[in-house]
Amino acid sequence: MTATLILPDEFRERIEVDARRNSPRECCGLIEGMREGDAVRVRALHATDNLAAAAGRFEIDPVEQFRLMRALRGTGREIVGCYHSHPNGRAEPSARDLEHAAEEGFVWLIAALDTASNDVNLAAFAYENRAFAPLSLTLA
């Protein structure tokens, strides 16, 4: 069971910039990292194009996901999760997010952008037992 996501501050900043730049569409990307006991340490972010036609959705290009999976083979790193934004939304998984979640232990990092203030609130969750469990988010 994953309890903590360790996110270097530089990656937090990149996600915030990505969320602002893509608004009103959702930004999205893959999270590369390593599992360390009950924690996941983020080692890299891989921004991807959002293939979803609708503004309030995200879809990561599966070609990019498979390319990254192949590149990470034998490195000790893996795709540990994804990130996406909720423009003018909440930093919590939506019903649509739950519908599309499938991989046990996969991390979902959500960046809620308040378009009035331009503030971004980050929250992390792990998909476990067909539900989202909140994670402690540690900025490093």
Side-chain angles (χ1 to χ4, degrees):
M1 179 161 111
T2 304
T4 304
L5 181 68
I6 304 166
L7 181 69
D9 202 47
E10 68 182 277
F11 296 143
R12 176 195 55 81
E13 291 171 12
R14 284 182 46 201
I15 291 170
E16 289 180 4
V17 167
D18 202 14
R20 289 181 184 112
R21 180 177 48 237
N22 283 281
S23 182
R25 293 187 49 79
E26 294 188 10
C27 71
C28 58
L30 297 166
I31 302 170
E32 174 185 333
M34 301 174 74
R35 297 184 186 278
E36 302 172 349
D38 68 349
V40 171
R41 182 176 301 276
V42 177
R43 294 295 187 186
L45 295 177
H46 301 271
T48 63
D49 289 334
N50 181 352
L51 299 182
R57 298 180 184 203
F58 82 99
E59 182 181 342
I60 292 173
D61 186 345
V63 171
E64 288 299 311
Q65 187 168 356
F66 286 117
R67 182 198 59 73
L68 182 57
M69 287 170 64
R70 282 191 297 276
L72 294 176
R73 282 187 194 145
T75 66
R77 296 181 181 192
E78 61 181 302
I79 298 173
V80 294
C82 66
Y83 71 88
H84 72 283
S85 61
H86 284 176
N88 265 340
R90 305 170 115 201
E92 60 188 40
S94 67
R96 189 175 299 116
D97 293 338
L98 185 57
E99 249 178 63
H100 291 93
E103 187 178 333
E104 194 72 14
F106 202 73
V107 171
W108 289 64
L109 182 58
I110 299 171
L113 171 64
D114 180 335
T115 54
S117 68
N118 215 26
D119 289 338
V120 176
N121 183 28
L122 291 179
F125 303 85
Y127 180 73
E128 296 174 345
N129 301 314
R130 299 195 324 240
F132 284 109
L135 301 178
S136 172
L137 184 57
T138 301
L139 299 175

